[in-house]
Amino acid sequence: MEAIRVGLLGAGVVGSGVVHVLKRNREEIARRAGREIRVVQVCARNLEKARQLVGDEVQVVADPIAMATSPDVDVLVEVIGGTTVAKDAILAALKAGKAVVTANKALLATAGNEVFAAARAGRVPVMFEAAVAGGIPIIKALREGLAANRMQWVAGIINGTTNFILSEMRAKRLPFDAVLKEAQRLGYAEADPTFDIEGVDAAHKLTLLSALAFGIPVQFDRASVEGISKLQAADIAYAEELGYRIKLLGITRKHAAGIELRVHPTLVPAKRLIASVEGAMNAVLIKGDAVGATLYYGPGAGSEPTASAVIADLVDVTRLFTADPEHRVPALAFQHDALAATPILPMSEVETAAYMRLRVADQAGVLADITRILADSNISIDAVLQKEAADGSSETDLIILTHRTKEGAVNAAIARMEMLRSVKGKVVRIRMEELA
Amino acid sequence: MEAIRVGLLGAGVVGSGVVHVLKRNREEIARRAGREIRVVQVCARNLEKARQLVGDEVQVVADPIAMATSPDVDVLVEVIGGTTVAKDAILAALKAGKAVVTANKALLATAGNEVFAAARAGRVPVMFEAAVAGGIPIIKALREGLAANRMQWVAGIINGTTNFILSEMRAKRLPFDAVLKEAQRLGYAEADPTFDIEGVDAAHKLTLLSALAFGIPVQFDRASVEGISKLQAADIAYAEELGYRIKLLGITRKHAAGIELRVHPTLVPAKRLIASVEGAMNAVLIKGDAVGATLYYGPGAGSEPTASAVIADLVDVTRLFTADPEHRVPALAFQHDALAATPILPMSEVETAAYMRLRVADQAGVLADITRILADSNISIDAVLQKEAADGSSETDLIILTHRTKEGAVNAAIARMEMLRSVKGKVVRIRMEELA
């Protein structure tokens, strides 16, 4: 089966993520897509940087239009950003009948109608999962997963920089300027942070979400946009006192008379899941008439999270739009002839941390006996909680949290503990996972 | 354009959801799919109930195999459940070259390999988004949206009944038996709740997630399954004291040596987003090597949430597998010729609640002046927080939360407030959303 040949425009943060993930997960991706996905040409402002990224096997090209229209390229991946070179190359590729995958929210929010028309004229897809909320497959959710619904509203934390700043302002009770400087130092904010902090980037993304949710053309120029640069620490504190968090939300809502399209700092009840989204993470909440509210959470930017979305689009192009119905989306995600024979582990081989509760005699030496058994089994203890015996009782609860250990060893240790005279009845064991 | 003709097997909770949503959102769905999706035949155990559900325009059929193989049906939707009639009908439809959409996790977890082989032999898709986590498009996320990733682990709250019971046990400090009775009374648990409370339903779903994540055949018989029926209120309380919540998680994780496949009560750090998933809601956390951790949250059961997933599959079948490349997934979710001209509302027409902070003179009558302005503008007040003036200051902060009002009215009221002599400087206004 021939590989899908990618022309990569841009060798920066996202471009290098695409190259690295395609290389690292080459086999895994081919098992899913039914074909290999291979970068065959790369074009970047800095040719030397491009060469260093892709090595000698990939052609480095100086002219983006030449790459976009090359007969050796099946799909153009545009991750160079901006609205000039990127636009020209995308339109050239579409005109030449090549599928396009782009992460360019600024371009699509402002010139999307033109780009989508060119894609229709060329009878090829233009895919942009990476343009909104980075690695979270939110465009696929809106466009496909929730296709049964009349959408009511979408509300999202869709800019990581501002969510990081707001999280820090609240946690450390610091003013905006101080946190912005810290964010710049850590790489969460750019040297010129205007697009992020004034809500423009969020409005680009919201424009796309609104079009997807409600079936309207992109209309960035109609969005109402207010950023966080004027937000004061006092208001974050008062909001908290009243049971709210302040988040920069993009909100789009449909009424009979029209559609709301707005980005602004927003008080949200602290008990909502989306209020607990901290740091540079993104989350999008969608309300549909049939499904109700669903929420999608994850990293909204960064090299490999964004590459994850770009490559998902490449897999989609491979599966859905190539003349190759044999390789449509397979039932179990992987092509049937590429399923693995990896065995399921017996539970005794599974490692977890554990919570144990023992009912023990309230007497000296009990804890020593029990911790000796754990030590003999090489089970290390994370925490111990010994409760006082209730009035008149000679027994009490002893709770032990262990570090990760193979289940088999824990089972053996529990069996030994239950044989101690000071341990009453069965030991309660509940597994623990950090999920970090 | 001809409609896609659906044969609906099952007229219970999910089946009626499918009929109602397809009818209510007929136009919206056709604008997305490019064709109408129409139920043309229905087969159910109770023919009278089927007739009442679909009315006179739809054929009610007594024989499921006849419907599954009927030349008048393009797609079989199986929502009757169980592993006998459902299996026979699905296999017959696939053999007859008809696409199948099913919500049947028990069938797929135990006989999925056979069903998927039949789909390959018939060269038709079998879709099952509704089989896991109801309305959350989690199968699409694993199968398509995260296709770039080597999956590391998946951990999910994938049974609403048990999550409801655990949430109630914690919130009300009640024992399992009492809460189960309450759940049965409210309809969150079935009369025979065994499959839910013993973790079998979650293990069915986890089996599918594991296969999708790691590219292995379904192997329900290898899953390790422990439910919540023996869980004691004391352990939920101790866990909370230690900073954890107890959730019934399905966990599957890949190691070089093998794959973990296990359902059991699990302590999870309370600060994790998934620990805050309460009531009958579902959430799935996926860790991929490129994207990192993403989380998907929403209703995991119920008539219309499940129907949402069934119909998304029907839209996919229509878009991806019909001989109709013109109607593949459109760039903006809706077919180009079906975009709406709905206008974007000006911000003055948008309704939100508002937080206002006023710097005011610390003197009598100020609050009366301000609330008078709000009353004149028909803006009703939700809460007022008046801070004491700091020592030596003659000014203080007054915070007002309003109910939902049109932005134009709020702007006008703020302008009037700012003209009061007792109000110092600009009024801070931050919008509020309940997102309920």
Side-chain angles (χ1 to χ4, degrees):
Chain A
M1 189 64 64
E2 281 180 29
I4 297 291
R5 301 165 305 169
V6 173
L8 179 67
L9 179 56
V13 172
V14 178
S16 58
V18 171
V19 168
H20 291 141
V21 176
L22 275 179
K23 187 177 288 182
R24 189 174 70 230
N25 294 349
R26 179 185 301 268
E27 191 218 329
E28 190 102 352
I29 292 167
R31 284 174 61 208
R32 290 197 178 94
R35 298 178 179 219
E36 196 184 323
I37 297 172
R38 191 186 299 159
V39 175
V40 295
Q41 294 188 16
V42 59
C43 174
R45 291 191 187 88
N46 182 335
L47 294 181
E48 188 45 45
K49 196 170 149 194
R51 168 61 61 209
Q52 282 173 11
L53 173 63
V54 294
D56 288 335
E57 287 158 40
V58 175
Q59 196 183 341
V60 173
V61 183
D63 177 2
I65 304 297
M67 184 178 76
T69 56
S70 163
D72 298 331
V73 163
D74 299 312
V75 187
L76 176 71
V77 169
E78 184 279 302
V79 289
I80 200 167
T83 54
T84 53
V85 173
K87 184 177 176 183
D88 293 343
I90 286 174
L91 291 177
L94 294 171
K95 200 172 170 192
K98 292 177 197 309
V100 168
V101 174
T102 174
N104 198 327
K105 52 256 181 185
L107 175 64
L108 291 182
T110 53
N113 300 323
E114 186 183 347
V115 170
F116 301 136
R120 282 194 307 280
R123 302 169 68 89
V124 280
V126 54
M127 314 280 284
F128 50 100
E129 184 61 78
V132 182
I136 310 170
I138 189 66
I139 288 178
K140 188 171 280 288
L142 270 173
R143 194 155 66 174
E144 304 171 36
L146 303 175
N149 291 265
R150 194 180 300 261
M151 305 300 177
Q152 296 170 333
W153 50 264
V154 178
I157 296 172
I158 46 182
N159 179 273
T161 304
T162 45
N163 200 56
F164 175 83
I165 292 173
L166 293 177
S167 299
E168 291 288 294
M169 285 177 73
R170 185 181 78 86
K172 301 183 177 165
R173 306 202 169 268
L174 287 172
F176 174 81
D177 291 334
V179 175
L180 173 60
K181 283 211 186 73
E182 174 75 358
Q184 286 172 319
R185 200 180 61 76
L186 293 170
Y188 286 123
E190 301 192 37
D192 177 357
T194 314
F195 258 43
D196 289 316
I197 64 173
E198 296 306 347
V200 179
D201 175 73
H204 284 149
K205 295 165 179 167
L206 182 69
T207 298
L208 295 171
L209 293 178
S210 180
L212 288 160
F214 303 125
I216 55 172
V218 294
Q219 297 166 70
F220 171 69
D221 55 344
R222 304 300 315 277
S224 161
V225 188
E226 182 182 318
I228 64 165
S229 59
K230 294 189 185 69
L231 205 61
Q232 294 176 48
D235 295 307
I236 293 175
Y238 287 141
E240 192 160 9
E241 195 175 333
L242 291 158
Y244 293 83
R245 300 277 169 87
I246 299 183
K247 294 290 180 188
L248 183 71
L249 292 187
I251 299 174
T252 184
R253 186 190 307 259
K254 187 171 179 184
H255 304 272
I259 289 165
E260 301 175 8
L261 188 64
R262 50 192 172 99
V263 171
H264 53 68
T266 312
L267 274 78
V268 177
K271 65 186 171 196
R272 299 270 179 268
L273 219 50
I274 200 170
S276 301
V277 171
E278 301 288 357
M281 300 303 274
N282 280 200
V284 179
L285 187 54
I286 302 174
K287 181 78 184 292
D289 70 335
V291 71
T294 54
L295 179 132
Y296 307 81
Y297 164 90
S303 177
E304 293 208 354
T306 310
S308 171
V310 167
I311 296 169
D313 278 349
L314 285 170
V315 172
D316 263 8
V317 167
T318 308
R319 282 173 168 171
L320 308 180
F321 297 95
T322 56
D324 183 13
E326 291 292 293
H327 294 95
R328 288 282 139 77
V329 189
L332 286 181
F334 292 76
Q335 299 294 325
H336 168 64
D337 53 10
L339 290 190
T342 322
I344 305 297
L345 289 175
M347 204 63 199
S348 58
E349 289 298 307
V350 169
E351 265 193 6
T352 72
Y355 161 106
M356 291 189 242
R357 174 166 60 85
L358 301 84
R359 192 74 188 157
V360 296
D362 188 20
Q363 65 192 41
V366 173
L367 189 56
D369 291 344
I370 289 165
T371 52
R372 166 55 46 206
I373 290 175
L374 290 170
D376 287 349
S377 312
N378 278 316
I379 298 172
S380 73
I381 295 173
D382 181 36
V384 172
L385 180 65
Q386 165 118 43
K387 308 302 284 188
E388 278 189 31
D391 283 346
S393 171
S394 61
E395 295 177 4
T396 183
D397 283 338
L398 172 66
I399 290 102
I400 296 173
L401 305 187
T402 75
H403 288 294
R404 296 180 72 82
T405 317
K406 279 204 178 147
E407 182 105 357
V410 176
N411 291 343
I414 288 176
R416 282 187 61 195
M417 290 177 191
E418 288 175 348
M419 291 170 66
L420 292 175
R421 192 167 300 179
S422 54
V423 172
K424 312 297 177 186
K426 305 292 279 179
V427 173
V428 171
R429 182 261 311 277
I430 309 176
R431 299 167 188 96
M432 291 175 52
E433 293 285 348
E434 284 298 312
L435 302 181
Chain B
M1 189 65 64
E2 281 180 27
I4 298 291
R5 302 165 303 171
V6 173
L8 179 66
L9 179 56
V13 172
V14 178
S16 58
V18 171
V19 168
H20 291 140
V21 175
L22 274 179
K23 186 178 288 183
R24 189 173 72 230
N25 293 351
R26 179 185 302 266
E27 193 218 327
E28 191 102 352
I29 292 166
R31 284 174 60 208
R32 290 197 178 94
R35 299 178 179 219
E36 197 185 321
I37 297 171
R38 192 186 299 159
V39 175
V40 296
Q41 295 187 16
V42 59
C43 173
R45 290 192 189 88
N46 182 334
L47 295 181
E48 188 46 43
K49 197 171 150 193
R51 167 63 58 209
Q52 281 174 9
L53 172 64
V54 293
D56 288 335
E57 288 157 40
V58 174
Q59 197 183 340
V60 173
V61 183
D63 176 2
I65 305 297
M67 185 177 75
T69 56
S70 164
D72 297 331
V73 163
D74 299 311
V75 187
L76 175 72
V77 169
E78 183 278 302
V79 289
I80 201 166
T83 52
T84 53
V85 173
K87 183 177 177 184
D88 293 343
I90 286 174
L91 292 177
L94 294 171
K95 198 169 173 197
K98 295 179 197 305
V100 167
V101 174
T102 174
N104 198 328
K105 53 256 180 186
L107 175 63
L108 291 182
T110 53
N113 301 322
E114 184 183 350
V115 170
F116 300 137
R120 283 194 307 280
R123 302 170 67 90
V124 281
V126 53
M127 315 280 285
F128 50 99
E129 184 60 79
V132 183
I136 309 170
I138 190 66
I139 289 178
K140 187 171 280 287
L142 271 173
R143 193 155 67 173
E144 304 173 34
L146 303 176
N149 291 268
R150 193 182 300 262
M151 305 300 177
Q152 297 171 331
W153 49 263
V154 177
I157 296 172
I158 44 181
N159 179 275
T161 303
T162 45
N163 201 56
F164 174 84
I165 292 173
L166 294 177
S167 298
E168 292 288 293
M169 284 177 74
R170 185 181 77 86
K172 302 185 176 162
R173 306 201 169 268
L174 286 172
F176 174 81
D177 290 335
V179 175
L180 172 62
K181 284 213 184 72
E182 175 74 358
Q184 285 171 319
R185 201 182 58 79
L186 293 169
Y188 287 122
E190 299 192 40
D192 177 357
T194 313
F195 258 42
D196 290 316
I197 64 173
E198 297 306 347
V200 178
D201 176 73
H204 284 150
K205 295 166 179 165
L206 181 70
T207 298
L208 295 171
L209 293 177
S210 181
L212 288 160
F214 303 123
I216 55 171
V218 294
Q219 296 167 68
F220 171 70
D221 55 345
R222 303 301 313 276
S224 159
V225 188
E226 181 182 319
I228 63 166
S229 60
K230 294 189 184 67
L231 205 61
Q232 293 176 49
D235 294 307
I236 292 175
Y238 287 141
E240 191 160 10
E241 195 175 335
L242 292 158
Y244 293 84
R245 300 277 169 86
I246 299 183
K247 294 292 182 187
L248 183 71
L249 292 187
I251 298 174
T252 183
R253 186 190 308 258
K254 188 174 179 183
H255 304 273
I259 290 165
E260 300 175 7
L261 188 64
R262 50 192 171 99
V263 170
H264 51 68
T266 313
L267 273 78
V268 177
K271 65 188 171 195
R272 299 269 180 269
L273 221 49
I274 201 170
S276 302
V277 171
E278 301 286 0
M281 301 302 275
N282 280 200
V284 180
L285 187 55
I286 302 174
K287 182 78 183 295
D289 71 336
V291 71
T294 54
L295 179 133
Y296 307 80
Y297 164 89
S303 176
E304 293 210 354
T306 310
S308 172
V310 166
I311 296 168
D313 279 350
L314 285 171
V315 172
D316 263 9
V317 167
T318 307
R319 284 172 166 172
L320 308 180
F321 298 94
T322 56
D324 183 14
E326 292 292 292
H327 293 95
R328 291 282 138 77
V329 189
L332 287 180
F334 292 76
Q335 299 293 325
H336 167 64
D337 54 9
L339 292 190
T342 322
I344 305 296
L345 289 175
M347 204 60 199
S348 58
E349 289 296 308
V350 168
E351 266 192 7
T352 72
Y355 161 105
M356 290 188 244
R357 174 166 58 85
L358 300 86
R359 191 73 188 157
V360 296
D362 188 21
Q363 64 192 40
V366 174
L367 190 57
D369 290 345
I370 289 165
T371 52
R372 167 52 50 206
I373 290 175
L374 291 170
D376 287 350
S377 312
N378 279 316
I379 299 171
S380 73
I381 295 172
D382 181 35
V384 173
L385 181 65
Q386 167 119 39
K387 306 304 286 189
E388 277 189 31
D391 282 347
S393 171
S394 62
E395 296 177 2
T396 185
D397 283 337
L398 172 67
I399 289 103
I400 296 173
L401 306 186
T402 75
H403 287 294
R404 295 180 74 81
T405 318
K406 278 203 180 150
E407 182 107 356
V410 176
N411 291 342
I414 288 175
R416 282 186 62 193
M417 289 177 192
E418 288 175 347
M419 292 171 66
L420 292 175
R421 193 166 298 178
S422 54
V423 172
K424 313 296 177 186
K426 306 289 281 181
V427 173
V428 171
R429 182 263 309 279
I430 309 176
R431 298 166 188 95
M432 292 175 52
E433 294 285 349
E434 284 299 313
L435 302 179

